[in-house]
């Protein structure tokens, strides 16, 4: 039995299923009973998955290049409260967003509007992010998918080399629960089964991400969707500062199931080769802001002491 399991795990790297282009799975879904195209075979689901500018990547911080143009992003209507629906799509849980929240600035080539968000996670709070930082994998990663504001659907936007912008956020294990995530986590039990969907009580994008002053440090590179079709039309922004969730909150995601009823865990793609791409880092902005503040504080202090 043990040998059979090992053999099947090995097979996952060689197995190719050619029953329709939509058939793909994560490594953990592959078994002797369920053969499917695991990440190394995603190019059989879509040729683009074998491209040279794929995502996710491991970000080696000492090889990133500081870019002064990567100023803080501008978020518009991120505070807007909406009632969406949340769905188990068989690979993740995904929330559709009314196309009113936009992101711009920070070296982005255009204004992009938010379309949907979804997550990638590990097994019961274990490593599960898609991007890694110096080899470190976080327990979960949020992807807020945006398209250039003049497009009306993602398919069209993906034909544009810079048509899509994804904001990626890491999560970290925290001692206390993050109550802003209750609306999402409370719906997970009712969407355990694939294709299950339910209404999401009022939420805003702003409540799910760090405060604006905690989003000034980020990485930027050109990559792809991290699921088939793997289209290389994504301007990636990966934020350094993680979002805190308690262990219990992280574990709640592992109760969701794949289509065969197995726990939906480790739904991340392994990191892809950089192939000579440069990753940029925003670094400069924080120092600039704080030194301006420092000067202001000093001038104020001097002014006060002189007038006294
Ligand atoms: C900002 O980041 C710091 C350090 O990680 C954290 O202590 C603080 O709670 C964060 N603030 C917000 C509003 O996210
Ligand atoms: C989910 O929905 C899709 C599209 O409607 C369908 O093709 C698929 O068989 C469904 N999967 C399950 C497990 O119900
Ligand atoms: Zn994703």
């Amino acid at each position: 039995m043990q040998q059979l399991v090992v053999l099947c795990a090995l097979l996952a790297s060689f197995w190719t299923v050619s029953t329709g282009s939509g058939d793909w799975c994560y490594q953990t879904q592959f078994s002797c009973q369920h053969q499917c195209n695991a990440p190394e075979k995603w190019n059989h689901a879509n040729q683009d998955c074998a491209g040279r500018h794929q995502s996710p990547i491991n970000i080696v911080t000492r090889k990133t290049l500081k870019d002064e143009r990567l100023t803080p992003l501008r978020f518009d209507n991120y505070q807007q409260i909406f009632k969406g629906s949340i769905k188990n799509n068989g690979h993740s849980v995904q929330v559709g967003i009314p196309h009113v929240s936009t992101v711009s600035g920070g070296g982005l080539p255009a204004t992009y509007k938010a379309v949907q968000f979804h997550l990638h996670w590990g097994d019961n709070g274990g490593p599960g992010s898609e991007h890694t930082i110096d080899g470190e994998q976080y327990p979960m990663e949020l992807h807020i998918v945006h398209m250039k504001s003049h497009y009306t659907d993602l398919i069209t936007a993906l034909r544009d080399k810079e048509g899509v912008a994804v904001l990626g956020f890491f999560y970290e294990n925290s001692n206390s629960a993050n109550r802003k995530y209750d609306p999402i986590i409370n719906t997970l039990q009712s969407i355990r089964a694939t294709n299950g969907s339910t209404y999401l009580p009022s939420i805003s994008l702003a409540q799910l991400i760090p405060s604006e002053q905690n989003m000034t440090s980020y990485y930027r590179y050109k990559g792809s969707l991290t699921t088939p079709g793997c289209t290389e039309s994504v301007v990636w922004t990966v934020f350094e500062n993680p979002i805190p969730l308690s262990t219990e909150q992280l574990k709640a995601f592992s109760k969701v199931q794949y289509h065969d009823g197995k726990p939906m865990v480790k739904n991340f793609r392994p990191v892809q080769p950089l192939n000579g791409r440069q990753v940029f880092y925003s670094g400069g902005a924080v120092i600039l802001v704080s030194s301006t503040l420092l000067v202001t504080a000093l001038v104020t202090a001097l002014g006060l002491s002189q007038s006294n």
Side-chain angles (χ1 to χ4, degrees):
M1 186 61 198
Q2 188 68 38
Q3 278 164 332
L4 192 63
V5 171
V6 172
L7 183 65
C8 283
L10 281 173
L11 269 178
S13 344
F14 300 105
W15 204 275
T16 302
V17 183
S18 45
T19 53
S21 62
D23 192 22
W24 59 273
C25 65
Y26 288 106
Q27 191 68 41
T28 44
Q29 291 180 266
F30 187 95
S31 69
C32 287
Q33 287 74 39
H34 176 66
Q35 288 112 3
C36 52
N37 287 320
E40 276 161 89
K41 292 292 167 189
W42 282 2
N43 58 328
H44 294 269
N46 195 307
Q47 187 51 44
D48 289 354
C49 299
R52 290 183 53 83
H53 296 137
Q54 289 290 292
S55 296
I57 56 165
N58 173 40
I59 296 169
V60 181
T61 53
R62 67 180 167 79
K63 288 191 179 165
T64 61
L65 194 64
K66 197 187 264 189
D67 186 341
E68 302 296 336
R69 287 166 300 183
L70 301 186
T71 52
L73 293 155
R74 181 190 162 113
F75 296 91
D76 282 303
N77 288 328
Y78 256 59
Q79 307 278 356
Q80 177 103 17
I81 287 171
F82 66 92
K83 291 181 184 171
S85 72
I86 184 165
K87 181 180 180 180
N88 173 348
N89 63 15
H91 308 293
S92 180
V93 294
Q94 186 167 312
V95 175
I97 314 171
H99 301 170
V100 295
S101 309
T102 64
V103 66
S104 58
L108 288 174
T111 297
Y112 292 82
K113 58 187 176 189
V115 180
Q116 52 103 326
F117 70 82
H118 62 268
L119 300 123
H120 302 268
W121 59 87
D123 186 349
N124 276 302
S129 66
E130 294 213 297
H131 289 91
T132 58
I133 304 288
D134 294 326
E136 185 193 350
Q137 191 177 17
Y138 290 81
M140 191 156 79
E141 185 171 332
L142 167 66
H143 289 159
I144 310 182
V145 180
H146 299 68
M147 62 186 175
K148 274 188 188 166
S149 54
H150 63 276
Y151 292 123
T152 51
D153 65 283
L154 264 182
I155 313 250
T156 314
L158 285 166
R159 289 194 205 115
D160 171 345
K161 279 269 153 263
E162 296 178 330
V164 173
V166 183
L167 306 185
F169 297 88
F170 296 119
Y171 291 82
E172 70 179 350
N173 213 314
S174 137
N175 289 328
S176 52
N178 180 343
R179 291 291 158 221
K180 293 174 182 166
Y181 269 76
D182 283 348
I184 289 181
I185 290 167
N186 291 341
T187 62
L188 295 178
Q189 57 196 10
S190 42
I191 57 161
R192 281 190 182 176
T194 291
N195 288 348
S197 78
T198 188
Y199 287 105
L200 195 60
S202 308
I203 58 157
S204 69
L205 291 175
Q207 85 186 59
L208 303 177
I209 60 177
S211 60
E212 290 204 21
Q213 60 273 31
N214 274 1
M215 290 192 287
T216 56
S217 299
Y218 58 86
Y219 302 98
R220 168 68 47 74
Y221 79 100
K222 297 289 258 327
S224 73
L225 297 179
T226 66
T227 54
C230 307
T231 322
E232 295 182 341
S233 304
V234 183
V235 180
W236 275 97
T237 306
V238 177
F239 293 89
E240 187 172 66
N241 217 321
I243 302 162
L245 284 190
S246 69
T247 309
E248 284 313 307
Q249 290 184 306
L250 288 167
K251 281 183 172 174
F253 288 87
S254 295
K255 301 269 176 18
V256 176
Q257 295 163 354
Y258 287 123
H259 71 87
D260 57 1
K262 293 225 189 76
M264 187 182 281
V265 295
K266 299 188 176 178
N267 56 347
F268 58 84
R269 185 189 196 187
V271 293
Q272 302 296 304
L274 255 189
N275 290 325
R277 282 175 288 175
Q278 176 69 53
V279 179
F280 298 93
Y281 179 57
S282 65
V286 182
I287 296 153
L288 267 178
V289 169
S290 44
S291 54
T292 311
L293 282 178
L294 188 63
V295 170
T296 314
L298 276 173
V299 169
T300 313
L302 279 173
L304 282 177
S305 63
Q306 274 166 2
S307 60
N308 277 347

